[in-house]
Structures are given as structure tokens and as C-alpha cells.
Amino acid sequence: MPLLVRPAPLWFAVTNSWVVAAERGGPAVIIDAPPDVEGVARLVAELDVVPVALLVTHGHVDHVGGSGGVADRFSVSAYLHPDDDWLASDPAEQLRSLWGAMPPGDYAPPDRFEALADGTALDLAGLRFEVLHTPGHTPGHCCFHIADEGLLFSGDQLFAGSIGRTDLPGGSHAELMRSMADKIVPLDGPTEVLPGHGPTTTIARELAVNPFLQDLPR
């Protein structure tokens, strides 16, 4: 396992913004950027690492709302699957349309996102991240798999004991379960799942106890 893998549960959605690095003082990758740039920056400073990229699992505001600020703060590129560009283009409006209110903050997206594509490998910070396109929670949702280290950053695809909601615009329960069966269930049982919210788990544990996975083919 990489020497440093830490979450910063941030914003009122308590979203896990992960920082992963092979060693202290070295390059790092940030995964997801809630609208709390200072919170992300505090974790980066605490770990004494140098971000080289921001990977965004999907376009919901609690994961992408701080992407512009984080990208600017650390002069890095932000990556997102293009099927979620419509969600990420205006996080502030997304928040207003869903909840009718918007906490203070800078929700501006980056000038552009680098496009994620299913099955591609990103060699970043001395680690290889495999992109798994897992639509369902959103059309462009992606998980990031570091096979050599047995890690899966699952975003809002899979949680300890649950799965991502599919009742928001662009969501599809059928799509989520199909991507779960095709991309997530086949991973090695000991793979540690680092989700977008809540505690970590493993593939084996979720196959054993998660009620949403019990009817999926193994």
C-alpha cells in the first residue's frame, strides 16, 4: 500500500477528498474536490506532498465543486469523464437547482477538464491508476483502481454497506448495478475500497454483507 493514503471528510456533505502519494515529500494525486479548497490544502500541507493531478470521480457538486480552486491552487490538471461535463460546468447552479440554497464558496470549475476514458491507465505520482467507467450514480461516474496496491477509490459507486443513489438527474439504478457487476464485483476480494463518503471497506466484505450486491453474479 502507498505510504500515504488519507481522506479529508469535507463540506456539509462530509465528502472524502483523498490524497494518495508513494512517500512523504513526494508527488501526490488528489481524488475529488468538495467546495472546501482550504480543507484540501490543509491535508496536502499536513502530508508534506506536492499534488500533480486532481482526479474527479463524478460531476456532483460535493465532489467537483472545489475542482477549479484546487486546480488553481496547485497548478494541476483536473480529470473528469466527459459524460459528466454537463453536471460539472456550473456546480453552483447544480446546487441551487437541487437544494434551492448555496453555502458561501467559490464553485467555479476549471477552465477545462482532461477527459477520462474507461480502461485507460494514468501514470501519476509514481502510481498507476486504472480508470473504471461505472455509470449509474451519474452517466460519467468513474472509479480509480490501483491494482498494484490493492486499492479502489470508489467515489459514490460503492460504500460500506450501501451503493450510490440513483434518483438524481442522470442517475440509473439499472446502469449502476450493471457497472457494479461488470467492473467492481470481479476485483480481488482483499481490494480495499476507499469511498466518497463514510468508512473504508473491502470487496470481499461488501460481497458478503452488502444487501445491494447479494443478487449479482459472482
Side-chain angles (χ1 to χ4, degrees), residues 53-109:
L54 167 64
L55 305 183
V56 181
T57 57
H58 64 290
H60 283 156
V61 62
D62 56 325
H63 293 257
V64 77
S67 59
V70 168
D72 287 346
R73 170 72 68 93
F74 298 109
S75 299
V76 299
S77 295
Y79 294 74
L80 179 76
H81 194 284
D83 286 355
D84 271 10
D85 281 349
W86 62 284
L87 278 170
S89 62
D90 193 345
E93 178 56 33
Q94 181 193 149
L95 189 58
R96 276 191 293 265
S97 67
L98 291 174
W99 287 286
M102 188 177 69
D106 179 5
Y107 297 89

Side-chain angles (χ1 to χ4, degrees), residues 1-6 19-28 42-51 125 127:
M1 184 173 184
L3 179 62
L4 300 173
V5 183
R6 299 275 185 83
V19 174
V20 54
E23 59 184 358
R24 186 175 293 274
R42 283 194 298 272
L43 180 60
V44 168
E46 174 191 325
L47 297 179
D48 186 28
V49 292
V50 181
L127 300 164

